[in-house]
Amino acid sequence: LVLSSRHFPRGMFALTAMLAAGADVGRILNHTADTMGIAKFATMSSFGADGSISSRVVYPSVVTAEQASDLQAVYFATNANSRKFEEIKHNNHTTLLYFDQEGAGEVTVYGRIAVCDEEEGKQRWDPNWDTVYPQGPETPYYRLLRVDPYKLEFVSARYHTDEGVNRTDWRPLTLLRTDGAWSYSAPPSQETEKVV
């Protein structure tokens, strides 16, 4: 799918203008969570010991409406014997990329991964993982991973959200999380920004 200006209606910038004027960031978090749910799967990237990047598709738990209001964490299962599990022991930085093809949108979650304890792994078990972990949360190699996000990038024709179409760097709408709260991150001025 090639995204062009025809995917983004003229009203696309209304939400960006509202955010810049101090509108509620909760709205964009809800649209972000909706897009994550529509996409269903995410591409998760991690770093190998040699500095290379590995990517694979994962099936995160659905972010509920209640969780969307502050989007504190994203959870998914992994195999304790996998390359991914070894890589996050050495470098816990990751991205999760969700793609909504029909809505011409994407969400990129930047965060740090933590391995949940056994109790949390049982509490947050998702039945969608049954085919991969046949004994449910009792499967010996099952581990639950939690991504603690600190940055979100979001663009969506479905939700008329993008601030990159009229920029030379096509920067997506960006939210940053500090001290547990999300805030809008205005793009740098094009006059002072260096595009590499």
Side-chain angles (χ1 to χ4, degrees):
L1 175 68
V2 177
L3 298 181
S4 67
S5 58
R6 70 182 172 82
H7 290 95
F8 303 101
R10 290 178 187 251
M12 178 68 93
F13 306 101
L15 183 57
T16 301
M18 287 170 59
L19 284 166
D24 185 8
V25 172
R27 180 175 172 190
I28 197 69
L29 288 173
N30 284 323
H31 290 171
T32 298
D34 285 348
T35 302
M36 292 161 72
I38 290 164
K40 198 170 175 179
F41 299 97
T43 300
M44 178 256 177
S45 298
S46 55
F47 292 95
D50 63 355
S52 62
I53 299 171
S54 302
S55 297
R56 76 285 291 157
V57 175
V58 296
Y59 194 174
S61 293
V62 173
V63 176
T64 66
E66 182 183 357
Q67 293 167 328
S69 63
D70 60 4
L71 201 59
Q72 300 264 341
V74 178
Y75 295 89
F76 64 94
T78 194
N79 185 322
N81 302 313
S82 67
R83 178 180 62 182
K84 157 188 354 109
F85 195 71
E86 284 303 310
E87 288 178 346
I88 64 169
K89 287 181 190 176
H90 300 289
N91 186 332
N92 70 344
H93 289 262
T94 191
T95 58
L96 294 172
L97 173 63
Y98 296 80
F99 178 55
D100 170 16
Q101 181 172 358
E102 202 173 292
E106 62 184 57
V107 176
T108 305
V109 178
Y110 294 78
R112 293 180 182 86
I113 297 182
V115 180
C116 299
D117 62 30
E118 189 176 341
E119 184 180 342
E120 189 172 13
K122 289 178 180 178
Q123 289 174 351
R124 294 192 175 274
W125 171 256
D126 188 324
N128 289 311
W129 302 331
D130 282 341
T131 55
V132 181
Y133 304 96
Q135 296 168 269
E138 305 297 333
T139 305
Y141 51 86
Y142 159 71
R143 297 294 183 276
L144 181 67
L145 300 180
R146 182 186 72 242
V147 177
D148 299 317
Y150 56 83
K151 179 179 174 182
L152 290 174
E153 293 178 343
F154 182 50
V155 60
S156 173
R158 182 188 302 274
Y159 292 112
H160 310 293
T161 305
D162 182 30
E163 58 189 9
V165 173
N166 287 337
R167 294 177 60 84
T168 58
D169 61 354
W170 197 77
R171 180 190 188 267
L173 187 141
T174 304
L175 299 180
L176 298 176
R177 184 169 167 251
T178 53
D179 299 323
W182 288 101
S183 61
Y184 171 67
S185 175
S189 164
Q190 287 273 268
E191 289 75 32
T192 59
E193 186 181 49
K194 292 182 180 176
V195 180
V196 180

